[in-house]
């Protein structure tokens, strides 16, 4: 029996209860409903990462950076949900991505994103994300990238979204991203 693929969930928002976090917490809930199909883990260290400095991108890495890279290495795929600030990625999330450029953990790893912004918004963040992921060598899974608009009032007390259509679309994203890992013939670090 093979181990279901592990998808690392990366939020680009530091704001507690953000719609981006709600999307990823919902992804966790959806994955938990079908544990034989896919597993997820939410990375929660964004706020602890030091400012990127190439001089510090050497062994031994700062502990938060080593933790980030270990989480990426352990995952079979990555799902990102990030807001857009001033037409691009939030600085804290760009900082996270900068720390991945010097490592090889994300290279060739299947990556997708959910744009939770209102229709017509979030394109700048997507474009920047695509550019940075290109530098890291990540394998963007286009068919798993989705626009699923989420408003602040959609998440419940548990931080997840109950709307069945949103949950179904997030489930589709997870399925495509998990399937891509298997289609590529990769057992991944967690496969058998």
């Amino acid at each position: 029996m093979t181990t279901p693929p592990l998808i690392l969930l990366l939020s680009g928002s530091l704001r507690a209860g953000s719609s981006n976090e709600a999307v990823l917490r919902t992804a966790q809930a959806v994955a938990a409903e079908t544990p034989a199909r896919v597993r997820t883990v939410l990375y929660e260290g964004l706020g602890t990462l030091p400012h990127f400095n190439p001089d510090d991108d050497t062994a031994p890495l700062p502990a938060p950076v080593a933790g980030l890279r270990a989480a990426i290495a352990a995952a079979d795929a990555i799902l990102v949900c990030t807001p857009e600030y001033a037409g691009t990625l939030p600085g804290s999330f760009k900082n996270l991505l900068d720390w991945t450029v010097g490592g090889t953990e994300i290279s060739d790893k299947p990556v997708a994103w959910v744009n939770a912004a209102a229709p017509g918004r979030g394109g700048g963040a997507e474009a920047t994300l695509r550019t940075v992921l290109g530098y890291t060598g990540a394998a963007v899974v286009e068919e798993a990238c989705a626009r699923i608009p989420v408003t602040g009032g959609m998440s419940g007390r548990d931080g997840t979204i109950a709307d069945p259509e949103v949950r179904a679309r997030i489930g589709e994203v997870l399925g495509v991203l998990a399937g891509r890992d298997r289609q590529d013939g990769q057992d991944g670090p967690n496969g058998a």
Side-chain angles (χ1 to χ4, degrees), residues 128-179:
T128 305
L129 184 58
R130 182 180 302 282
T131 298
V132 177
L133 289 174
Y135 280 99
T136 67
V140 174
V141 181
E142 297 293 341
E143 58 274 20
C145 296
R147 287 183 169 263
I148 306 173
V150 174
T151 61
M154 291 179 80
S155 60
R157 297 177 107 174
D158 64 353
T160 66
I161 301 164
D163 182 282
E165 184 177 323
V166 169
R167 291 175 79 88
R169 294 205 49 218
I170 291 171
E172 290 168 8
V173 167
L174 291 172
V176 171
L177 192 52

Side-chain angles (χ1 to χ4, degrees), residues 15-80:
R15 188 170 61 82
S18 74
S19 57
N20 300 280
E21 183 180 312
V23 166
L24 297 179
R25 290 204 182 279
T26 304
Q28 278 188 302
V30 168
E33 294 166 2
T34 56
R37 188 173 131 220
V38 64
R39 298 171 300 133
T40 61
V41 63
L42 180 63
Y43 175 76
E44 299 187 79
L46 179 63
T48 67
L49 292 170
H51 295 292
F52 176 72
N53 180 343
D55 292 339
D56 295 333
D57 197 4
T58 59
L61 290 168
V65 176
L68 167 67
R69 288 190 181 174
I72 292 170
D76 296 301
I78 299 170
L79 179 62
V80 173

Side-chain angles (χ1 to χ4, degrees), residues 65-110:
V65 176
L68 167 67
R69 288 190 181 174
I72 292 170
D76 296 301
I78 299 170
L79 179 62
V80 173
C81 192
T82 182
E84 177 180 279
Y85 289 126
T88 189
L89 294 171
S92 56
F93 192 66
K94 175 62 167 65
N95 183 60
L96 178 149
L97 294 173
D98 286 345
W99 279 114
T100 70
V101 174
T104 59
E105 298 83 6
I106 202 169
S107 182
D108 295 322
K109 189 151 311 236

